[in-house]
Amino acid sequence: ERRHRVLATAEKLGAELNALGFTTTARSRTPAIPVLVGDTRLCRRLWTELFNEGVFTNALTPPSVPEGQALVRVGVTAAHTRLQVERIVEAFANAGHRLKLIEPGRRPAETT
């Protein structure tokens, strides 16, 4: 049950980040969602913005990844609640707007 829940949560979070305009690079169904940023400095700034919003992620920059492929990785667990996922999406939206990574009008979808 937990394995199904964590994968469903990761899939939902990845889809919501994509809907905001971020590029997730997940090629398989895993609880780790890589969000491609590209530029190393911008990736570090996104990581800092998310951290300041209360969302812990990991920034992967060269030499851990090839130059130009820096990314922020979000780890999802089966314990994440719907409200926590919504908060993560909101933090990405806020940070993405401040850093001009996503279009100004893009907001998280209202969930029920």
Side-chain angles (χ1 to χ4, degrees):
E1 176 190 344
R2 287 187 298 243
R3 183 174 40 207
H4 292 292
R5 185 170 56 237
V6 70
L7 293 177
T9 301
E11 188 173 320
K12 177 177 177 39
L13 178 55
E16 291 189 24
L17 293 175
N18 282 326
L20 279 175
F22 289 99
T23 301
T24 61
T25 60
R27 290 180 175 84
S28 63
R29 288 179 34 114
T30 71
I33 304 165
V35 180
L36 183 61
V37 179
D39 180 73
T40 299
R41 276 194 166 140
L42 195 52
C43 181
R44 290 181 181 148
R45 288 182 62 204
L46 176 60
W47 178 89
T48 301
E49 292 284 333
L50 293 168
F51 187 80
N52 290 339
E53 288 262 350
V55 174
F56 185 77
T57 60
N58 297 94
L60 280 74
T61 59
S64 298
V65 294
E67 194 69 45
Q69 295 183 27
L71 58 92
V72 169
R73 184 169 53 200
V74 183
V76 178
T77 72
H80 276 102
T81 67
R82 179 183 54 83
L83 292 176
Q84 289 170 326
V85 170
E86 288 173 7
R87 179 66 195 107
I88 293 167
V89 172
E90 184 66 30
F92 265 91
N94 293 340
H97 289 127
R98 283 192 297 271
L99 297 175
K100 298 180 179 17
L101 288 170
I102 57 176
E103 296 174 19
R106 286 215 136 128
R107 301 302 308 166
E110 293 295 321
T111 57
T112 56

